[in-house]
Amino acid sequence: MKKPLVGALFAVLLLGAGVAPATASTGHEAASPTAVKEKVRPKAVNFAGTVALSNCSGSVVRTPDSQPGDHALVLSNGHCMESGFPGPGEVVFDQPSTRSFTLLNASGSGVGTLRASKIAYGTMTDTDISVYELTSTYAQIESSYGIKALELNTAHPVQGTAITVVSGYWKRTYACNVDGFVYRLKEGEWTWKDSVRYTSACQTIGGTSGSPVIDNATGKVVAVNNTGNEDGQECTDNNPCEVDESGNVTVREGINYAQETYGIVPCIGTGNKFDLDRAGCALPKP
């Protein structure tokens, strides 16, 4: 995992010289040869709607069916939850939380504090996500700060897509492409399914955990950043390995990964509430 940070001030002093914002990709790398009638201009990727946690990054997100009066949701990693890493097979569902989040505007400045009412869903089994329900509605956030939630894409990511990882913790972006997908990604005790592998340009660091991975062409969230192989070790903590359908193991030192988010959408129903029994919902159950 991209380790949650506890010595934030020390980390800023240590790494501050190397965290100037990177330039987001234009998206031309993923242009489709069939899109010849009209040139689609990629949306500008910025920090609006992202949040900084005490130890990680995150974003205010919505589904296509979320309503302005619904209580807003914040997406991050399961390993970023204040309760600590959930064990293999463990699912946190509908648990009270008063966690706070610093909301960022387009330029990366903090404009306000949002507060959770509960952890709606969290796990490190099959995926690595946490979703907090806030005390504020989408309409209240937009009215107070002029910031809209990022929309979760409903389809599986596509190889070659130009993406940007947007870290609210560091106020830094990382631009690269979707290099491919990993059948099983194993790290220590945990196993994740169908993970996104970045091309080498996305050299994410500790504190970027939970960052939204945004499709440059649509501006929608396609994944959530969560880990990378730091030392070339095989399947150990902070050194995930790739396992294919035949059980063959591949180690890619210096390569980073994310967990797809399209599978979250079918699990959110009326009123922005998680319903793990909804048709199409395949998230692990408690």
Side-chain angles (χ1 to χ4, degrees), residues 121-233:
Y121 185 89
T123 192
M124 288 177 65
T125 298
D126 294 351
T127 185
D128 183 9
I129 61 170
S130 60
V131 182
Y132 290 82
E133 182 178 303
L134 302 182
T135 58
S136 306
T137 66
Y138 294 113
Q140 289 170 334
I141 293 171
E142 187 170 357
S143 174
S144 297
Y145 307 111
I147 293 174
K148 295 183 178 181
L150 301 175
E151 185 174 330
L152 296 172
N153 197 29
T154 59
H156 190 285
V158 177
Q159 186 175 15
T161 298
I163 54 174
T164 303
V165 182
V166 187
S167 172
Y169 184 92
W170 287 115
K171 301 176 178 61
R172 178 178 179 178
T173 62
Y174 301 80
C176 59
N177 295 72
V178 174
D179 187 51
F181 305 98
V182 183
Y183 176 69
R184 297 289 184 267
L185 189 65
K186 293 181 64 67
E187 180 174 342
E189 299 180 275
W190 297 275
T191 300
W192 303 304
K193 298 179 178 179
D194 196 22
S195 302
V196 173
R197 180 177 61 242
Y198 306 143
T199 52
S200 59
C202 279
Q203 289 295 306
T204 51
I205 59 176
T208 63
S209 286
S211 300
V213 180
I214 297 175
D215 181 330
N216 292 357
T218 66
K220 295 181 180 180
V221 178
V222 295
V224 57
N225 180 67
N226 82 307
T227 194
N229 188 292
E230 297 181 2
D231 307 309
Q233 297 178 25

Side-chain angles (χ1 to χ4, degrees), residues 53 56-59 74-78 80 128-132 209-210 224:
L53 286 66
C56 286
S57 300
S59 57
V74 163
L75 171 68
S76 190
N77 284 149
C80 292
D128 183 9
I129 61 170
S130 60
V131 182
Y132 290 82
S209 286
V224 57

